[in-house]
Amino acid sequence: MSSSSDVQVQGSNDWSIASKLSTVTAGYYKDSFISCFAQKPAKRSSLIHRGYYVRAKAMHYIFDRFLSQQHPKCQIISFGAGFDTSYFTLRQQGHSQIQYVEIDFQDVVTKKWQLIKNHPYCAELAAEKDTIYHLVAADLRNLPSLTNLLFEKICLSPSEPTLFISECAITYMDECSSSKLIEWCGTTFSNAVFAVYEQIRPNDGFGRVMQQHFIQLSIPLLSLPAYPDKKPNKIGWTSCEVYDINEFVHQLIPSDELDRMRKLETFDEYEGFNEKCSHYIILTAAKGSCKPLLPIKERENKDRVYNSTSLKSCQLYPSPIQRYGQAGCANSTGIWIVGGFGARPQGHGRLDDLILAHRNGTIESRLKDKRLARMYHSLHLIQPSRLIVYGGRTHPAMALGDLGFIDTERNEIEWLDGQPENGWPEPRWRHAASIIAPYSIFIGGGCGRQNNLLNDCWVMRVLPQSETKTPSVKWESFLSLPSGRHSAVASFWKDLIVISGGLNKSEMACQPQLLVSNTNCSQEWKEPVWSGPSPIPRYSHQALVTTDNRMFLVGGISTCHPSSPGVCIIDLQRWTSFEYSLPIQDIARPVILASFNAQLIEENEDTKIICWGGGSPCFSFGTHLNGVHVELEL
């Protein structure tokens, strides 16, 4: 790592500490000392708040578990500590007889010492004799120097219980240096735990965006290519457990605490949050008298292993459609797309247009209307030249429940408004919707105007008038879903409504993935009985039904699977499924198949899927908009 890269790594500390202060100020967790070290307070987004919240909860969990293992007299060594406040928090909580060592670059150490001296309480805690605090500069790549520092100057014991912490630190080191450091810790200390919080999975769309972000900051994640998944370097360690942060959140944070957190701010960036959580891990390796700090996970049953193979073809073509959260529906020549969040001349924002994307990649811009500037709505073709827009949102606190009728021949739009007290559904976004030929639309679930999760279902009966007169509608209630969900997909197949995926109240991708109900006779949601593994749970995907009774689940986000979902082919008559994985992605053209539109093309014996738009807010790495349309061949 060059000296210029070292400086950039130090600069990332300033951004991180300001984000932590913003998260604490918003009420996500408590830290009495964070304001002492954040020199430039800044207000961050709710997505960044959630990201730093789960990071803090993971580190709090590590400290609590280690100190509860009957190690009142112990050593804690934090690599790349930055302006971390953990020592001061532990000391305030009454933990004594701890030798606490923080190691970082000289400039960071000098700045932190000055900040400590500027705050009397911090200075007092740092100077207490029963808990010995060391804030020192060292190059972690120079192991002889590190050995001399810890054992000759600080006088640590190689046999005392020792906790090593690396919180987004050693991943910036080259693979050889980071591996040697981990091995040195494991062979030098006889009773120890090494705890790591850092990035994984560099090869999918989000991983490529994440890598590119750090490359642009001149602080590439040098160790990430060598350790792309959850398999650690175990040299010198006798046991190890790893959780990605999605697993940590849903298995190790109490549900009432998660409920408290979710009520703090309005939130509608689930894709970015779950992607972030699936690309970070908490890992603990142990030896000697120290035990792993993470619970041993149950190993997956063999009959739950997902079949997976590569797609026949995955082609990327440059596309001017750079937006996500839009609505779309296919016609004979291409796909209509309306609204969404994307690139505008004045910067990113909600888009207020209707466009027609042709299969050859050309785009027709048809009309603009301020009321089309919405996200997570639905769009359906109810007559050869008539589109209907329903629902969506502007801000997460502003659900919409109006209908827009678009005449595609005249390029005109008329709006119809209604309220629940007049027999209309509650306004919603992220709902499941499907056309029921010829003039009805199913609407189910979604997020309501109080940001609440909905499970009610409706059928919108469209009553056509003349070609020039706006249709009228009649809403009929339908059997509610067994539980609330949003970001699911509804499909119409043989007089049945098939609901795939979605995110439930616990923010887990729904199981079972598919529910079926008859639209003509008795309404009853049924769980399919799978012959073999069920599909990978997902949300924010697309579902396409073929003429030969198959359903393709395309893309989406999973909360419980180690890779981004590709394409799942489901036989709707036998209830079998087979997963096709996406290829390793080009770092110059990453694709995140979330909040996108898909078009099915069946010609002769060829089956293709064209994916338009899509993307996601990517935690602190910026907003990613797919700059290509994707053609998948099965």
Side-chain angles (χ1 to χ4, degrees):
M1 190 186 296
S2 66
S3 58
S4 62
S5 295
D6 291 351
V7 172
Q8 295 296 332
V9 171
Q10 297 170 48
S12 69
N13 171 70
D14 297 333
W15 198 95
S16 177
I17 200 68
S19 298
K20 290 180 180 180
L21 174 59
S22 181
T23 306
V24 169
T25 302
Y28 282 79
Y29 66 96
K30 295 180 180 179
D31 188 327
S32 304
F33 301 95
I34 195 74
S35 59
C36 302
F37 297 96
Q39 298 168 285
K40 296 180 180 180
K43 177 68 170 70
R44 303 296 193 214
S45 69
S46 57
L47 175 59
I48 292 176
H49 287 162
R50 281 198 175 199
Y52 275 90
Y53 164 80
V54 296
R55 175 173 170 174
K57 295 297 288 187
M59 301 316 297
H60 294 166
Y61 184 92
I62 293 303
F63 284 116
D64 290 345
R65 294 278 294 200
F66 179 75
L67 294 172
S68 67
Q69 286 186 1
Q70 305 302 315
H71 301 318
K73 185 178 181 182
C74 62
Q75 302 167 155
I76 299 177
I77 303 173
S78 179
F79 296 133
F83 289 176
D84 181 56
T85 62
S86 296
Y87 163 75
F88 300 96
T89 299
L90 292 176
R91 191 65 192 93
Q92 186 185 51
Q93 292 172 352
H95 293 289
S96 59
Q97 300 182 9
I98 299 175
Q99 285 225 69
Y100 202 106
V101 182
E102 294 185 341
I103 302 174
D104 216 309
F105 295 106
Q106 183 62 63
D107 286 350
V108 174
V109 169
T110 300
K111 291 177 183 177
K112 189 169 186 178
W113 268 127
Q114 187 60 52
L115 292 170
I116 290 172
K117 293 175 182 177
N118 290 342
H119 294 85
Y121 188 36
C122 290
E124 178 185 343
L125 293 177
E128 287 188 354
K129 294 182 179 180
D130 58 343
T131 304
I132 302 175
Y133 176 64
H134 305 276
L135 173 57
V136 294
D139 188 338
L140 300 176
R141 296 160 293 195
N142 188 335
L143 295 180
S145 176
L146 183 64
T147 302
N148 180 68
L149 172 68
L150 296 180
F151 295 122
E152 299 299 326
K153 296 182 179 179
I154 298 180
C155 299
L156 294 186
S157 167
S159 60
E160 289 286 350
T162 303
L163 171 63
F164 295 96
I165 295 290
S166 174
E167 187 181 351
C168 295
I170 63 173
T171 189
Y172 295 116
M173 298 167 60
D174 64 274
E175 183 275 328
C176 181
S177 297
S178 63
S179 293
K180 287 183 177 179
L181 176 63
I182 296 170
E183 181 180 353
W184 176 85
C185 293
T187 55
T188 304
F189 290 78
S190 55
N191 301 292
V193 176
F194 202 117
V196 171
Y197 179 95
E198 63 182 28
Q199 302 90 345
I200 58 167
R201 297 174 184 149
N203 295 326
D204 62 8
F206 187 95
R208 292 307 197 197
V209 172
M210 178 175 68
Q211 281 194 92
Q212 190 64 28
H213 168 78
F214 288 105
I215 290 172
Q216 291 172 348
L217 293 178
S218 300
I219 48 174
L221 304 174
L222 297 177
S223 292
L224 184 56
Y227 300 105
D229 51 29
K230 296 190 287 188
K231 297 178 182 178
N233 176 2
K234 294 184 178 180
I235 299 176
W237 304 92
T238 57
S239 59
C240 180
E241 283 295 329
V242 188
Y243 284 64
D244 74 31
I245 301 303
N246 272 325
E247 293 173 322
F248 174 81
V249 167
H250 294 291
Q251 297 179 34
L252 300 180
I253 299 181
S255 58
D256 57 346
E257 165 58 19
L258 290 176
D259 289 340
R260 181 200 67 82
M261 179 272 292
R262 291 168 183 149
K263 294 175 183 176
L264 292 173
E265 296 180 281
T266 56
F267 186 77
D268 192 32
E269 295 174 310
Y270 302 97
E271 291 85 356
F273 178 63
N274 287 135
E275 284 280 73
K276 185 268 182 187
C277 289
S278 71
H279 285 77
Y280 280 76
I281 58 167
I282 186 73
L283 175 154
T284 62
K287 64 174 298 186
S289 63
C290 296
K291 300 178 177 61
L293 306 181
L294 295 167
I296 298 174
K297 293 192 294 186
E298 293 184 10
R299 304 309 173 192
E300 190 169 42
N301 219 321
K302 287 186 178 181
D303 63 1
R304 293 291 302 154
V305 174
Y306 300 95
N307 300 312
S308 183
T309 188
S310 298
L311 295 164
K312 181 179 179 181
S313 173
C314 178
Q315 302 294 327
L316 307 180
Y317 300 96
S319 173
I321 301 177
Q322 296 186 32
R323 64 182 77 192
Y324 67 85
Q326 73 276 11
C329 68
N331 65 8
S332 58
T333 62
I335 186 169
W336 294 103
I337 293 176
V338 64
F341 181 93
R344 304 180 302 181
Q346 66 272 35
H348 292 166
R350 284 178 283 109
L351 304 174
D352 61 357
D353 58 351
L354 168 72
I355 60 175
L356 176 60
H358 294 281
R359 287 170 53 182
N360 62 9
T362 60
I363 306 297
E364 289 184 51
S365 181
R366 287 300 189 92
L367 66 84
K368 284 181 172 288
D369 186 292
K370 290 182 179 180
R371 291 180 70 170
L372 291 177
R374 60 185 64 201
M375 301 173 64
Y376 304 118
H377 44 296
S378 54
L379 180 71
H380 295 287
L381 188 67
I382 57 170
Q383 291 174 307
S385 61
R386 183 92 68 178
L387 293 165
I388 183 167
V389 179
Y390 170 70
R393 70 157 175 88
T394 51
H395 184 270
M398 184 59 68
L400 303 173
D402 52 356
L403 296 172
F405 293 93
I406 302 174
D407 187 321
T408 60
E409 290 186 350
R410 296 176 176 82
N411 292 325
E412 296 174 347
I413 185 168
E414 294 186 62
W415 294 94
L416 190 61
D417 295 292
Q419 299 297 326
E421 54 266 28
N422 297 326
W424 282 50
E426 178 180 344
R428 67 193 63 215
W429 76 95
R430 287 184 177 269
H431 51 281
S434 175
I435 193 81
I436 302 175
Y439 300 121
S440 298
I441 297 173
F442 170 87
I443 302 291
C447 295
R449 52 188 168 187
Q450 302 298 324
N451 214 13
N452 54 313
L453 202 57
L454 304 175
N455 70 333
D456 60 326
C457 299
W458 298 76
V459 172
M460 180 201 310
R461 305 292 185 189
V462 183
L463 309 175
Q465 308 293 327
S466 67
E467 287 294 323
T468 59
K469 189 175 180 181
T470 302
S472 60
V473 299
K474 178 183 179 183
W475 289 96
E476 298 176 1
S477 62
F478 195 82
L479 182 69
S480 294
L481 293 168
S483 60
R485 64 178 68 190
H486 67 74
S487 306
V489 180
S491 305
F492 184 60
W493 171 69
K494 289 190 173 182
D495 292 329
L496 301 174
I497 294 294
V498 182
I499 303 292
S500 59
L503 212 60
N504 65 18
K505 181 180 179 181
S506 300
E507 296 187 10
M508 287 288 289
C510 295
Q511 282 280 16
Q513 287 74 59
L514 302 178
L515 302 171
V516 183
S517 180
N518 195 298
T519 58
N520 292 329
C521 304
S522 61
Q523 296 176 1
E524 180 183 5
W525 294 108
K526 298 180 180 179
E527 297 182 10
V529 179
W530 295 96
S531 298
S534 57
I536 294 172
R538 68 190 78 198
Y539 72 98
S540 198
H541 58 293
Q542 287 290 303
L544 305 166
V545 178
T546 67
T547 55
D548 59 355
N549 301 308
R550 293 183 297 165
M551 173 179 281
F552 296 164
L553 304 184
V554 186
I557 306 295
S558 179
T559 59
C560 54
H561 195 264
S563 61
S564 298
V567 178
C568 179
I569 298 182
I570 298 170
D571 186 320
L572 292 171
Q573 294 179 315
R574 297 183 177 88
W575 292 112
T576 60
S577 69
F578 197 93
E579 299 280 354
Y580 288 82
S581 59
L582 298 173
I584 292 176
Q585 298 210 21
D586 180 357
I587 196 168
R589 298 188 297 173
V591 174
I592 297 178
L593 285 183
S595 301
F596 65 107
N597 297 119
Q599 178 183 1
L600 177 67
I601 299 174
E602 297 180 277
E603 293 179 342
N604 301 321
E605 295 183 359
D606 294 330
T607 302
K608 289 185 178 180
I609 300 169
I610 303 180
C611 303
W612 302 93
S616 171
C618 294
F619 183 51
S620 59
F621 313 137
T623 296
H624 173 71
L625 304 171
N626 293 335
V628 296
H629 74 262
V630 183
E631 287 194 9
L632 307 174
E633 186 174 355
L634 304 173

